[in-house]
Every structure is written in C-alpha cells, then in structure tokens.
Amino acid sequence: MERLKILIPTDFSVQAEFAYLMVKKLEEKIETDIHFVHVLNVPDTVTMDAKGEIQTCGEIDVNYVVKQKEISLRKLENLKTLYGNQINVHLVLGKTTDAILNFSNANAFDLIVMGNKGASGIKEIVSGTEAQVIARKSQIPLLSLMCDRSDLLIENILLVHNFVNPKKEGLTLLNKLIKAFNTKVHLLQITSGQVDAEKAKVEADMNLFAQLNGIDNYACHLINDKDVENGVVHFNQMNDMDLVFIGTHGKGGLFHQSATEKLINHLFKPIISFHLSN
C-alpha cells in the first residue's frame, strides 16, 4: 500500500479541521503519517532550545512568550484528544510561512495540506494568503482547500499544464493517487488560439507527456479561454472534477500574478500545486 508523510499547518481554526478531514479521505486508500505543526509567530530574536526553553533579547517579555507557548502546547495536545494519539504534533517558532517551509523541508514530507480562507482584491495583491506563499516557495506539493471535502470521491483528477515540449515532471504524488484511487486523469491545456487548428499537435504532446509520466488512464482536453484561471473555472463548470493538479514556476508576487496562486484563492475545489522542473 502507498504511504504519504503529510504535514498539516494549524492555527486551530476550522480551516485546519477541513485539512485534516481531507487527509482522512486520502487515508481511505493510502497509509498516512500525519503531523500537525503550529507556528508561534515571533521575531527572530526569540528562540527555543532543544529542551523547550525560551530565550529572548530586545524588548520582548520572555514570560509572555512562555505563556503563549504553554497555550499552544495545550491546544496541540487537545488535537490528540480529538483525533487520536496516532497523530504527531509540533510547535515551532518564527515567521509563519518561513517556519512552515523550513519545518517541511527539514522533515522530508510528501505533502502539505492547508485549509485556506481565500483572498481577493487588494488583500490578495499586497499580502496574499499563507497557502499562496507556501505554493510559491515550497518544493513539496501543497494541497489547499476552502471547505469540508469529507464526502469527496476521488475519481477524476484534472491536470492543468502547458504540454508543449513534454518532459518528465515531479508527479510522484499524482502517480500515488492514481494507483490508490484508480482515478482517471484529465489533461487540460488552455489556448487563446483556435482549438481546431491546434488540437492534433496538442493531443500528440499530451500523449507523449502521459507516456513520459506513467499516466495510462487519461483523456485529452483543449479549450479556448482568455487565461488559465478562467479556463480552469469554466472547464470545471462543464466537467465536475474532484481534484485539480497544477504546476507552478514559483514566480508569484506583487508584480507577477501566478495562475496557480489565483486559483488557490478563488476555486472551490481541492487544488494540489507542485513545482515544475525548469
């Protein structure tokens, strides 16, 4: 049986519970090793040694940090009461997204799962969401979702990609899900040109991509839309997908609006983002 080591960052909100319920859905077919991590958001001047002792320099009250640490540890232990002693819980200090990225890389996770409140307008442009930043910077795939998906049947996975010059991508997670859930993969390319004129070339590229990446049960789709985000939304309206896989080059930010990051904040489907090979 396939196995996944999964990290769930938690702020003890309902979104973190959605993330856990999604992992339990994966657990129906895949053995999981579940780790919750909570980040105590503190400046770099606050540290915690191997014994859990807090040190601060500057103007931060050490007793305040110790109290916050104790509250967080109680909440983490409560997760074990709720979900069982088989889960692992961790407390780390630092800036939230940096701490999650450092912890996930240091402990070799296969997947990060995050509940996401979404964002739009000026908030999205200026700060984005933590899920967006993790998707941009993490080399580990991120599964993000906005609501309870405990009733999800994982039968159809949408893989959104530019299939020109097909090559082997980092799709280990996708291959594990295909094997475990016996899913059909829908390969989707979005074009701003004429579909009929491009169809034969795109399908040939898709077939080669599937062969290179070990995907056997798949269908090819090419649609015309103004951009990737709208294309994915419209395709899902016509074809009800269960999970969306989409790659990122990790170039989102204030001056570069990543389609992957926009979908994380706007699409009410579980989305798995992964870093594309260069």
Side-chain angles (χ1 to χ4, degrees), residues 33 43 77 93 105 117 130-131 135 153 155 157 175 190-191 216 226 229 231 255 257 263:
D33 183 12
E77 282 304 311
L93 272 58
N105 288 330
K117 297 180 179 74
E130 288 168 1
L153 295 175
E155 296 175 342
I157 293 177
N175 293 126
I190 294 140
T191 178
D216 298 320
K226 68 175 186 176
E229 183 188 2
F255 300 106
Q257 285 291 294
L263 284 166

Short mmCIF file of all heavy atoms in Angstrom, two decimals, residues 33 43 77 93 105 117 130-131 135 153 155 157 175 190-191 216 226 229 231 255 257 263:
data_model
loop_
_atom_site.label_atom_id
_atom_site.label_comp_id
_atom_site.label_asym_id
_atom_site.label_seq_id
_atom_site.Cartn_x
_atom_site.Cartn_y
_atom_site.Cartn_z
N ASP A 33 1.07 9.19 7.50
CA ASP A 33 1.79 9.56 8.71
C ASP A 33 1.51 11.04 8.90
O ASP A 33 2.05 11.89 8.18
CB ASP A 33 3.28 9.28 8.49
CG ASP A 33 4.12 9.56 9.72
OD1 ASP A 33 3.54 9.74 10.81
OD2 ASP A 33 5.36 9.61 9.60
N PRO A 43 9.36 37.24 16.50
CA PRO A 43 10.55 37.72 15.77
C PRO A 43 11.73 36.76 15.90
O PRO A 43 11.75 35.89 16.76
CB PRO A 43 10.86 39.07 16.45
CG PRO A 43 9.63 39.43 17.21
CD PRO A 43 8.96 38.15 17.59
N GLU A 77 -2.01 19.32 22.19
CA GLU A 77 -2.36 18.08 22.89
C GLU A 77 -3.85 17.78 22.76
O GLU A 77 -4.26 16.62 22.67
CB GLU A 77 -1.96 18.17 24.36
CG GLU A 77 -0.47 17.97 24.61
CD GLU A 77 0.04 16.64 24.06
OE1 GLU A 77 -0.59 15.59 24.33
OE2 GLU A 77 1.07 16.66 23.35
N LEU A 93 8.86 28.03 16.34
CA LEU A 93 8.85 29.48 16.47
C LEU A 93 9.33 30.12 15.18
O LEU A 93 10.16 29.56 14.47
CB LEU A 93 9.76 29.92 17.62
CG LEU A 93 9.17 29.98 19.04
CD1 LEU A 93 8.60 28.64 19.45
CD2 LEU A 93 10.21 30.46 20.03
N ASN A 105 10.71 21.11 4.91
CA ASN A 105 11.92 20.68 4.20
C ASN A 105 12.82 19.84 5.10
O ASN A 105 13.38 18.83 4.66
CB ASN A 105 12.69 21.90 3.69
CG ASN A 105 12.00 22.57 2.52
OD1 ASN A 105 11.31 21.91 1.74
ND2 ASN A 105 12.16 23.88 2.40
N LYS A 117 -8.58 30.33 3.70
CA LYS A 117 -9.73 31.25 3.79
C LYS A 117 -9.98 32.00 2.49
O LYS A 117 -11.00 32.64 2.32
CB LYS A 117 -9.49 32.26 4.92
CG LYS A 117 -9.37 31.65 6.31
CD LYS A 117 -9.14 32.75 7.35
CE LYS A 117 -9.04 32.18 8.77
NZ LYS A 117 -7.77 31.49 9.02
N GLU A 130 -1.38 32.62 3.21
CA GLU A 130 -0.25 31.75 3.55
C GLU A 130 -0.15 30.60 2.56
O GLU A 130 0.95 30.19 2.18
CB GLU A 130 -0.41 31.25 4.98
CG GLU A 130 -0.18 32.35 6.01
CD GLU A 130 -0.62 31.97 7.41
OE1 GLU A 130 -1.10 30.84 7.59
OE2 GLU A 130 -0.49 32.81 8.31
N ALA A 131 -1.30 30.06 2.13
CA ALA A 131 -1.28 28.95 1.16
C ALA A 131 -0.62 29.37 -0.14
O ALA A 131 0.13 28.60 -0.75
CB ALA A 131 -2.71 28.45 0.91
N ALA A 135 2.70 27.65 -1.67
CA ALA A 135 2.68 27.10 -3.04
C ALA A 135 3.83 27.67 -3.86
O ALA A 135 4.47 26.96 -4.65
CB ALA A 135 1.34 27.41 -3.71
N LEU A 153 -15.37 12.03 -3.56
CA LEU A 153 -14.97 10.81 -4.25
C LEU A 153 -13.86 11.18 -5.23
O LEU A 153 -14.06 12.03 -6.10
CB LEU A 153 -16.15 10.20 -5.00
CG LEU A 153 -17.32 9.70 -4.14
CD1 LEU A 153 -18.46 9.23 -5.03
CD2 LEU A 153 -16.87 8.58 -3.22
N GLU A 155 -12.30 10.39 -8.13
CA GLU A 155 -12.44 9.56 -9.34
C GLU A 155 -11.87 10.24 -10.58
O GLU A 155 -11.41 9.58 -11.51
CB GLU A 155 -13.92 9.22 -9.57
CG GLU A 155 -14.52 8.37 -8.45
CD GLU A 155 -16.01 8.15 -8.62
OE1 GLU A 155 -16.65 8.92 -9.38
OE2 GLU A 155 -16.54 7.21 -7.99
N ILE A 157 -9.28 13.40 -11.80
CA ILE A 157 -8.28 14.42 -11.46
C ILE A 157 -8.00 15.25 -12.70
O ILE A 157 -7.74 14.71 -13.78
CB ILE A 157 -6.99 13.77 -10.93
CG1 ILE A 157 -7.23 13.09 -9.58
CG2 ILE A 157 -5.88 14.81 -10.80
CD1 ILE A 157 -6.02 12.36 -9.02
N ASN A 175 0.99 10.12 -9.26
CA ASN A 175 1.04 8.69 -9.57
C ASN A 175 0.58 7.84 -8.40
O ASN A 175 -0.10 6.81 -8.59
CB ASN A 175 2.46 8.29 -9.99
CG ASN A 175 2.88 8.91 -11.32
OD1 ASN A 175 3.91 9.56 -11.42
ND2 ASN A 175 2.08 8.73 -12.36
N ILE A 190 -5.12 25.13 -22.01
CA ILE A 190 -5.97 26.27 -22.32
C ILE A 190 -5.25 27.11 -23.36
O ILE A 190 -4.06 27.44 -23.19
CB ILE A 190 -6.27 27.08 -21.05
CG1 ILE A 190 -7.12 26.22 -20.10
CG2 ILE A 190 -7.02 28.37 -21.36
CD1 ILE A 190 -6.77 26.34 -18.66
N THR A 191 -5.93 27.46 -24.43
CA THR A 191 -5.33 28.23 -25.51
C THR A 191 -6.14 29.50 -25.76
O THR A 191 -7.34 29.54 -25.50
CB THR A 191 -5.26 27.40 -26.81
OG1 THR A 191 -4.71 28.21 -27.85
CG2 THR A 191 -6.65 26.94 -27.26
N ASP A 216 -1.64 6.25 -17.56
CA ASP A 216 -2.26 5.35 -18.54
C ASP A 216 -3.73 5.68 -18.80
O ASP A 216 -4.18 5.68 -19.94
CB ASP A 216 -2.16 3.89 -18.06
CG ASP A 216 -0.71 3.44 -17.92
OD1 ASP A 216 0.11 3.80 -18.79
OD2 ASP A 216 -0.39 2.76 -16.93
N LYS A 226 -9.68 33.13 -22.04
CA LYS A 226 -8.81 34.31 -22.02
C LYS A 226 -7.56 34.11 -21.17
O LYS A 226 -6.55 34.76 -21.40
CB LYS A 226 -9.59 35.55 -21.56
CG LYS A 226 -10.03 35.55 -20.11
CD LYS A 226 -10.69 36.91 -19.79
CE LYS A 226 -11.02 37.01 -18.31
NZ LYS A 226 -11.57 38.34 -17.96
N GLU A 229 -6.78 30.79 -15.39
CA GLU A 229 -7.73 30.78 -14.29
C GLU A 229 -9.16 30.62 -14.79
O GLU A 229 -9.92 29.77 -14.32
CB GLU A 229 -7.62 32.08 -13.47
CG GLU A 229 -8.54 32.10 -12.26
CD GLU A 229 -8.57 33.44 -11.55
OE1 GLU A 229 -7.91 34.38 -12.02
OE2 GLU A 229 -9.28 33.55 -10.53
N GLY A 231 -10.11 29.50 -17.70
CA GLY A 231 -10.24 28.21 -18.38
C GLY A 231 -10.52 27.08 -17.42
O GLY A 231 -11.37 26.22 -17.66
N PHE A 255 4.35 41.67 -8.54
CA PHE A 255 4.45 42.06 -9.95
C PHE A 255 4.24 40.90 -10.91
O PHE A 255 4.40 41.04 -12.11
CB PHE A 255 5.81 42.72 -10.22
CG PHE A 255 6.03 43.95 -9.38
CD1 PHE A 255 6.91 43.93 -8.31
CD2 PHE A 255 5.33 45.11 -9.64
CE1 PHE A 255 7.11 45.05 -7.54
CE2 PHE A 255 5.52 46.24 -8.87
CZ PHE A 255 6.41 46.22 -7.81
N GLN A 257 1.35 37.85 -11.32
CA GLN A 257 0.17 37.15 -10.84
C GLN A 257 0.17 35.71 -11.36
O GLN A 257 -0.06 35.47 -12.54
CB GLN A 257 -1.10 37.89 -11.29
CG GLN A 257 -1.37 39.16 -10.49
CD GLN A 257 -1.76 38.85 -9.04
OE1 GLN A 257 -2.79 38.27 -8.78
NE2 GLN A 257 -0.91 39.25 -8.11
N LEU A 263 -5.88 30.62 -8.49
CA LEU A 263 -6.84 29.52 -8.34
C LEU A 263 -6.93 29.05 -6.90
O LEU A 263 -8.01 28.70 -6.42
CB LEU A 263 -6.45 28.36 -9.27
CG LEU A 263 -6.78 28.58 -10.75
CD1 LEU A 263 -6.06 27.56 -11.61
CD2 LEU A 263 -8.29 28.49 -10.98
#
